[in-house]
Amino acid sequence: MKRIAAPLLFLLLSLSLPAHRTAYAQVHTFQAENGHFTLDGKPFQVISGEMHYARIPRAYWRDRMRMAKAMGLNTITTYVFWNVHEPQPGVYDFSADNDVAEFIREAQQEGLYVILRPGPYACAEWEFGGFPAWLLKDHNTVVRSSDPKFIEPARQWFMRLGKELSQLQIGDGGPIILVQVENEYGSFDKDHAYMEQIHQMLVDAGFTKSQLYTADGPEQVPDGSLPELPAAINFGPGESQKGFEALKKLRPDGLFMNSEYWDGWFDHWGAKHALTDAKQQAADLDWTLRQGYSISLYMFHGGTSFGWMNGANSNGKNYEPDVTSYDYDSPLDESGRPTAKYFLFRDTIAKATGTTPPPVPTVAPAIIIPPFTLTQSASLWNNLPKPTHSEQPLSMEDLDQAYGYILYRTTLTGPVSGDFVLDQLHDYAKIYIDGKLIGTRDRRLDQKTPQLAVPPQSERLDILIENTGRVNFTKALRGERKGITKEVTLAGKPITHWDIYPLPMLTPDKLAYSNAPCSGPCFYRATFNIDKPGDTFLDTSAFTKGEVWLNGRALGRIWNIGPQKTLYIPSPWLKQGENEVVVFDLEGALGRSLQGRDQPILNAKSSAQILFWCLGALVLALGLLGAIRLLSRAHQK
């Protein structure tokens, strides 16, 4: 037999291995021992920060990772979002921005370890907590429970995910050191049989060569943890000593890790932008590191819930949808630029660990795009798809629709008048009679039932509804079907005979646009030119409520109630030369303008807030004026 030259032998060996492994991948061991971690038997302190691949343009993954290294992190943490990978049952997508395996490989290439949080539940202020909407088509399915109708799809999902990621564990030479079982289940329920099933699914999917663990709030550890696995804890500023003391009472031998330290917070539509106490957070970070405990910052870099992916909060009564931006007041802002908090944390980590981090990478400045006018339009009413007829209202999920809008149309025959009730509206509705807007219903608000009077002649009723984001927290998520989820009644009697139009709005750039005037629910289109692409922030202040697309890609939601008034546009999504923008607005008008700013607007006040504060200032001013007059008269006397 002839000898094969060494370089050729190396090449042949490389080709014979799977693409995600190298011929000489170095195998390591990583485990929890005596309350702490060991890497190859030596003590290892995890200093991690959370960043989600789906919230960051793929072209920027490495940039964000290098920023993590430069702040002093040795690990990054990410959820896996089931809904982006399995949009339909058995149909999987791990391409482009969904290539989570490539995200993890790039982390290793940048010298970072990875904590994987595959769920199947994520929370994360993400649509439906990461669950795919199709789980709700069967109304009897109980998600996040031992219900076989949930467990079996979850099992199939984990087995498919294992094919992508199991070989990237540290025991196979990859960077994944920790894999979380479920996510804060103790805040949701205390079904240990369910937790054992999720644990076994991950083992069956091949996640055995990294350290499995659970994570809960300190008080919820008994309900959400498993006796055979280490239990990490999650908490926020000012709770470090108290949190670990609580954990030690439950688990004297550890593991001592804060797996989610909340160094910021998220924003709801109609509320203020979160601004948190960086000095308190730095003090907590310093204390934790000096104890020798491990930590993962939630978030290191929040990014953006592009498209329709924002979640919502609800306790079963109120409803608070999240904005598109996931800036989170984190060390790296939404566009990946280091903040004052970043440098404070960087100094804190360096001093607490006695290390010198790499230099902070430079970031190209954001660009300004001059104002441009949207001169073309397409009416929603003229671009409706073929409807589905049903005697009773059907939800989006009933019609295999996940996101966007849905239109319910029927004919009313009078005379009749009385209370007009949308039972279980999810989430935001515009109501029209013969094409004329007669009212708005918003799930966020405690609105009184409107009165409706129908004359003897027939009238067309249209109810246009937006899915504003499925609840991602509490048991309210189990009933998060979208549209009209029960019935519509007038004067106490059900309205029937509906034509229902699913409006997922997947390709609004393909509509037939014209220069004709268009008001009400309309799509508006314009183009603009740039010489050199760069990050920018699209100012949407001129519009009311809807969605924006750039070059066919959904950027996110807009809503004039604030606090967010700009949408982040990453440089790689722009083209040199001509770019196309489409805006869907429920109350638009032709001729409104957009512009690109070099700074985001994330804390704008709504017109109602401004009016309220102006009235308050006026009352205060009148009161002061009255007091001055009284003092003046007293002085004269």
Side-chain angles (χ1 to χ4, degrees):
M1 175 183 272
K2 293 182 178 180
R3 291 185 180 180
I4 300 176
L8 179 58
L9 177 61
F10 177 83
L11 176 61
L12 291 174
L13 286 171
S14 299
L15 292 174
S16 69
L17 292 167
H20 53 262
R21 300 185 66 183
T22 61
Y24 299 105
Q26 190 172 358
V27 174
H28 297 276
T29 61
F30 186 88
Q31 56 190 3
E33 294 182 87
N34 301 318
H36 303 278
F37 294 115
T38 61
L39 176 61
D40 295 334
K42 298 179 180 179
F44 183 86
Q45 186 177 29
V46 174
I47 309 174
S48 185
E50 188 122 357
M51 48 190 275
H52 303 144
Y53 60 98
R55 283 180 159 133
I56 307 167
R58 178 171 176 152
Y60 280 158
W61 286 349
R62 285 187 187 271
D63 296 314
R64 307 302 191 256
M65 292 168 183
R66 289 167 183 166
M67 281 290 188
K69 285 281 288 186
M71 200 178 83
L73 304 183
N74 57 27
T75 306
I76 60 170
T77 302
T78 186
Y79 281 117
V80 180
F81 298 120
W82 183 4
N83 58 352
V84 303
H85 295 291
E86 194 178 1
Q88 301 172 36
V91 177
Y92 298 100
D93 181 5
F94 290 95
S95 64
D97 291 347
N98 293 338
D99 191 350
V100 61
E102 176 60 20
F103 179 79
I104 292 169
R105 285 192 291 267
E106 290 184 15
Q108 184 174 30
Q109 291 158 12
E110 295 300 327
L112 291 161
Y113 296 103
V114 174
I115 298 173
L116 187 71
R117 307 219 279 168
Y121 166 74
C123 191
E125 291 70 61
W126 190 261
E127 225 276 346
F128 201 22
F131 290 140
W134 50 260
L135 286 170
L136 296 172
K137 182 170 184 177
D138 185 332
H139 289 218
N140 295 317
T141 300
V142 182
V143 299
R144 213 179 176 198
S145 79
S146 295
D147 179 1
K149 292 181 179 179
F150 172 77
I151 287 294
E152 188 52 35
R155 186 187 309 279
Q156 293 176 12
W157 156 239
F158 272 161
M159 296 302 291
R160 180 63 182 83
L161 183 64
K163 294 179 181 179
E164 294 288 323
L165 303 185
S166 65
Q167 295 300 318
L168 292 172
Q169 295 172 96
I170 193 151
D172 280 323
I176 299 174
I177 54 176
L178 288 160
V179 177
Q180 183 177 299
V181 178
E182 239 277 353
N183 181 47
E184 295 185 328
Y185 191 72
S187 300
F188 185 83
D189 209 338
K190 52 183 178 181
D191 183 349
H192 292 283
Y194 165 75
M195 284 293 294
E196 290 290 3
Q197 289 179 83
I198 299 299
H199 179 197
Q200 188 60 48
M201 284 181 200
L202 288 167
V203 171
D204 293 343
F207 292 101
T208 58
K209 296 184 179 181
S210 54
Q211 177 65 63
L212 297 177
Y213 74 103
T214 61
D216 288 281
E219 295 78 16
Q220 288 79 41
V221 167
D223 291 337
S225 64
L226 293 172
E228 68 271 23
L229 296 180
I233 51 174
N234 302 341
F235 51 78
E239 301 177 1
S240 296
Q241 295 188 47
K242 178 182 175 182
F244 280 108
E245 286 172 1
L247 176 62
K248 287 180 178 179
K249 291 179 180 178
L250 297 168
R251 297 280 186 104
D253 298 327
L255 165 78
F256 302 123
M257 177 179 177
N258 181 352
S259 52
E260 271 192 28
Y261 176 79
W262 306 320
D263 62 355
W265 208 245
F266 52 93
D267 297 342
H268 296 304
W269 286 113
K272 293 180 180 180
H273 173 56
L275 293 172
T276 57
D277 188 344
K279 290 183 178 179
Q280 174 67 64
Q281 294 161 13
D284 289 341
L285 177 59
D286 179 74
W287 182 89
T288 302
L289 294 177
R290 291 185 187 277
Q291 302 304 310
Y293 300 155
S294 291
I295 190 170
S296 183
L297 303 172
Y298 191 98
M299 301 287 294
F300 162 69
H301 169 52
T304 310
S305 302
F306 293 112
W308 314 96
M309 286 298 114
N310 66 277
N313 269 25
S314 175
N315 60 9
K317 295 180 181 179
N318 64 341
Y319 173 75
E320 299 173 300
D322 304 321
V323 302
T324 296
S325 170
Y326 203 58
D327 177 83
Y328 209 83
D329 190 36
S330 54
L332 277 194
D333 71 11
E334 180 180 10
S335 64
R337 288 163 170 77
T339 65
K341 182 181 290 187
Y342 176 94
F343 292 102
L344 179 59
F345 285 10
R346 185 173 188 262
D347 291 342
T348 300
I349 295 170
K351 291 175 182 177
T353 61
T355 59
T356 301
V360 178
T362 57
V363 183
I367 64 173
I368 294 174
I369 299 174
F372 57 94
T373 302
L374 285 83
T375 57
Q376 294 186 314
S377 66
S379 171
L380 174 73
W381 306 121
N382 297 334
N383 289 278
L384 296 177
K386 183 179 179 180
T388 295
H389 183 78
S390 175
E391 288 301 294
Q392 304 299 327
L394 301 174
S395 70
M396 283 187 177
E397 296 78 9
D398 294 329
L399 298 173
D400 299 315
Q401 180 184 353
Y403 315 114
Y405 290 72
I406 188 168
L407 174 66
Y408 299 84
R409 173 174 287 179
T410 192
T411 300
L412 299 177
T413 302
V416 61
S417 62
D419 291 342
F420 179 70
V421 178
L422 304 182
D423 195 357
Q424 295 297 306
L425 165 68
H426 291 177
D427 303 298
Y428 184 93
K430 292 288 187 182
I431 304 164
Y432 305 84
I433 293 292
D434 286 343
K436 180 181 178 181
L437 179 65
I438 64 164
T440 300
R441 309 296 293 164
D442 186 346
R443 184 182 175 188
R444 299 176 312 121
L445 308 176
D446 184 18
Q447 296 170 311
K448 295 182 179 180
T449 300
Q451 296 286 307
L452 184 63
V454 180
Q457 65 270 27
S458 297
E459 294 185 327
R460 190 185 77 203
L461 169 66
D462 285 314
I463 307 172
L464 178 60
I465 297 177
E466 179 193 18
N467 162 7
T468 314
R470 289 183 181 84
V471 169
N472 59 265
F473 188 64
T474 76
K475 291 185 179 179
L477 63 80
R478 288 175 168 168
E480 272 302 282
R481 292 172 189 84
K482 293 303 183 180
I484 298 171
T485 61
K486 288 193 175 179
E487 63 178 1
V488 182
T489 62
L490 176 57
K493 295 183 178 180
I495 299 175
T496 57
H497 305 293
W498 295 95
D499 284 328
I500 306 172
Y501 301 80
L503 302 169
M505 298 186 177
L506 301 177
T507 55
D509 53 321
K510 306 300 183 185
L511 301 176
Y513 289 85
S514 72
N515 295 322
C518 186
S519 59
C522 296
F523 298 88
Y524 303 93
R525 186 175 69 177
T527 59
F528 63 91
N529 288 273
I530 54 174
D531 296 329
K532 183 180 179 181
D535 286 358
T536 192
F537 302 90
L538 193 67
D539 189 338
T540 61
S541 300
F543 293 86
T544 56
K545 182 166 178 49
E547 181 85 6
V548 179
W549 294 260
L550 171 74
N551 296 327
R553 185 190 294 262
L555 291 179
R557 303 178 195 272
I558 57 174
W559 200 350
N560 60 358
I561 63 174
Q564 180 178 0
K565 289 296 181 75
T566 54
L567 288 173
Y568 171 52
I569 297 180
S571 175
W573 294 2
L574 287 167
K575 298 182 291 187
Q576 184 176 6
E578 186 175 87
N579 294 267
E580 181 186 77
V581 170
V582 172
V583 178
F584 176 72
D585 194 348
L586 287 170
E587 299 179 32
L590 199 62
R592 292 179 178 174
S593 296
L594 296 167
Q595 61 182 309
R597 298 187 178 274
D598 59 0
Q599 296 289 331
I601 303 173
L602 298 178
N603 200 21
K605 310 299 188 295
S606 70
S607 56
Q609 288 174 316
I610 294 172
L611 177 60
F612 178 79
W613 288 334
C614 287
L615 289 173
L618 178 61
V619 170
L620 179 61
L622 291 173
L624 289 173
L625 181 60
I628 291 170
R629 286 176 176 173
L630 287 174
L631 289 172
S632 176
R633 289 175 183 174
H635 179 72
Q636 290 173 0
K637 290 179 179 178

